[in-house]
Amino acid sequence: MKTLIVYTYPNHKSLNYAFLQEVIKGCRENPAIEEIQVLDLYEEDFDPRLIFHEHKRRRDMYQDPKMEKYRQQLSWADQLVFVYPIWWGRPPAMLLGYIDQLFAANFAYRDTTGLFPEGLLKGKSVVCVSTMKGPTNYPFLWLNNAHKILMKRALFKFVGMKKVKFFEFGNMESKKGKQQQKLTKVYQYFRKVAY
């Protein structure tokens, strides 16, 4: 199994970075994972802005030469892992900009004559590791599970990825947030996960 880890947080002395390190450590100890690539969107200075004009049309995004490296990474991976905070009930703008540009028509999906498009990223699995300041149940109780619906139904299922796992960790700024237990949980999962 080949694993692409997409990390979206600007601070390398943070809890999110600690989660990234546990994901990497678990993957390296997992005999089912043969290769790992890490894409740090902030280190990469990824530009999340969508820019369209008469010379750059949205329908041509799937062949934008600036995104070729990232398309190759997505095509290469069997498993995608996203590590990010939940801000205002959703992933950061940097990650959403990556998704907007990479999960494009004729690369991630193809329009059909039917009701739904054909997902072109079938067979890949996805794991989302996310943190938030508020309580763990906040997105479910107050936001109608908007984060999971956005990521699972509106994005991953749309492009053909059906195997999706979430780790949503709340109370991460609290002294009672059980951060070490949650870091260990993520490490143990990636140490054993099989494709």
Side-chain angles (χ1 to χ4, degrees):
M1 177 167 52
K2 297 173 193 146
T3 299
L4 172 64
I5 306 165
V6 180
Y7 174 71
T8 313
Y9 198 77
N11 185 354
H12 282 195
K13 293 182 179 177
S14 66
L15 184 60
N16 277 275
Y17 193 73
F19 275 109
L20 171 65
Q21 296 310 306
E22 294 303 310
V23 171
I24 293 169
K25 181 179 168 189
C27 287
R28 286 188 176 145
E29 293 178 18
N30 186 333
I33 298 174
E34 54 193 87
E35 290 181 68
I36 305 165
Q37 287 187 33
V38 178
L39 172 59
D40 182 332
L41 292 177
Y42 281 93
E43 285 277 308
E44 189 82 8
D45 202 19
F46 185 86
D47 185 353
R49 297 173 303 151
L50 285 174
I51 299 171
F52 302 117
H53 44 67
E54 63 274 10
H55 304 296
K56 186 175 181 181
R57 300 178 307 175
R58 186 163 190 244
R59 72 184 86 155
D60 297 330
M61 280 176 31
Y62 73 99
Q63 54 191 1
D64 182 347
K66 289 182 181 175
M67 296 294 120
E68 179 59 24
K69 164 187 166 181
Y70 307 114
R71 285 193 298 273
Q72 286 180 6
Q73 285 179 320
L74 281 174
S75 296
W76 167 86
D78 300 308
Q79 174 179 243
L80 303 174
V81 181
F82 294 93
V83 180
Y84 57 93
I86 296 176
W87 290 333
W88 300 107
R90 52 134 184 94
M94 176 76 81
L95 179 55
L96 293 176
Y98 170 86
I99 289 165
D100 286 346
Q101 293 178 75
L102 269 295
F103 288 70
N106 298 314
F107 171 72
Y109 68 93
R110 179 177 22 245
D111 288 320
T112 64
T113 56
L115 185 60
F116 295 105
E118 176 191 1
L120 300 178
L121 298 177
K122 291 179 193 137
K124 297 179 187 297
S125 63
V126 182
V127 182
C128 294
V129 179
S130 53
T131 61
M132 60 191 133
K133 179 180 179 180
T136 299
N137 291 329
Y138 174 77
F140 178 75
L141 296 173
W142 294 101
L143 301 175
N144 296 317
N145 228 11
H147 168 246
K148 285 184 181 175
I149 290 169
L150 167 71
M151 299 302 278
K152 187 172 184 176
R153 284 196 217 159
L155 173 62
F156 300 131
K157 190 174 180 185
F158 192 85
V159 299
M161 294 188 268
K162 295 179 181 174
K163 188 177 177 186
V164 182
K165 169 96 174 147
F166 288 93
F167 289 99
E168 283 184 340
F169 296 123
N171 298 314
M172 289 295 89
E173 292 185 20
S174 167
K175 290 180 181 178
K176 297 178 182 176
K178 300 180 180 176
Q179 290 86 348
Q180 190 54 56
Q181 286 179 15
K182 293 169 183 176
L183 288 164
T184 301
K185 183 176 183 178
V186 165
Y187 159 71
Q188 292 291 353
Y189 175 82
F190 283 99
R191 192 167 155 260
K192 296 176 183 174
V193 67
Y195 185 62

